[in-house]
Amino acid sequence: MRIVIQRVSRASVTIGGNVKSAIGKGFLILLGVEESDTESDAEWLVKKVIGLRVFDDENGVMNLNISQVGGDMLVVSQFTLFASYKKGNRPSWLRAARHEISVPLYEYFCRRLQEETGKEIGTGEFGAMMDVELLNDGPVTICMDTKNKE
């Protein structure tokens, strides 16, 4: 699994002109799933996301995690995180998981974030054309890949 986390002041997902989800201060998380991913990959990411200390403490030092600041989270499926661009100029997404694998893992990841934080997790709609809007705070953008845990 691969994620891009953006610390945001606000973010939203709009589908067909209707806002599906909107959050204030917190994380916008773009999530890509590949064929070999499992629930253990999702568990590792959940722990990393929740523990990530990128919010300022009283001294202006990035020392607080999402729970300590009462932050929100919005998770958007993003198969294009697995784009292969080595041949030519048209990306290939052969590494991105099929729906049978990616949808359950996306839902599992969101559910586990909610269980661990006790907060509702905003989502997009899997496979839909979405307009994602965000105000990046910092900017702070962090990429994680479960194949690079070391």
Side-chain angles (χ1 to χ4, degrees), residues 63-74:
N63 201 30
L64 302 175
N65 65 38
I66 189 105
S67 297
Q68 291 171 310
V69 298
D72 297 319
M73 287 187 261
L74 173 57

Side-chain angles (χ1 to χ4, degrees), residues 9-145:
S9 297
R10 67 176 182 272
S12 65
V13 173
T14 302
I15 302 169
N18 299 311
V19 175
K20 165 108 172 46
S21 296
I23 64 167
K25 179 180 184 173
F27 288 148
L28 169 64
I29 301 171
L30 306 176
L31 171 71
V33 178
E34 67 179 319
E35 291 287 324
S36 62
D37 289 331
T38 65
E39 288 183 356
S40 66
D41 292 302
E43 287 293 335
W44 184 83
L45 283 175
V46 165
K47 285 182 177 48
K48 294 303 269 185
V49 167
I50 291 172
L52 193 61
R53 299 182 335 177
V54 294
F55 294 93
D56 290 349
D57 63 15
E58 65 279 357
N59 298 314
V61 176
M62 285 197 282
N63 201 30
L64 302 175
N65 65 38
I66 189 105
S67 297
Q68 291 171 310
V69 298
D72 297 319
M73 287 187 261
L74 173 57
V75 181
V76 177
S77 61
Q78 188 79 38
F79 75 92
T80 59
L81 291 178
F82 284 103
S84 175
Y85 45 83
K86 293 187 180 189
K87 289 184 181 179
N89 292 317
R90 184 167 185 255
S92 166
W93 289 281
L94 291 175
R95 287 185 53 202
R98 298 170 313 222
H99 281 78
E100 309 84 69
I101 294 170
S102 54
V103 172
L105 281 175
Y106 169 77
E107 292 171 350
Y108 180 82
F109 178 76
C110 294
R111 186 172 59 253
R112 290 294 297 128
L113 282 175
Q114 185 165 326
E115 290 168 358
E116 290 295 320
T117 63
K119 292 192 77 167
E120 176 119 6
I121 304 300
T123 62
E125 183 177 311
F126 203 92
M129 182 62 174
M130 297 174 274
D131 293 322
V132 179
E133 187 173 7
L134 69 130
L135 181 58
N136 196 316
D137 178 27
V140 174
T141 302
I142 296 173
C143 302
M144 293 183 188
D145 191 320

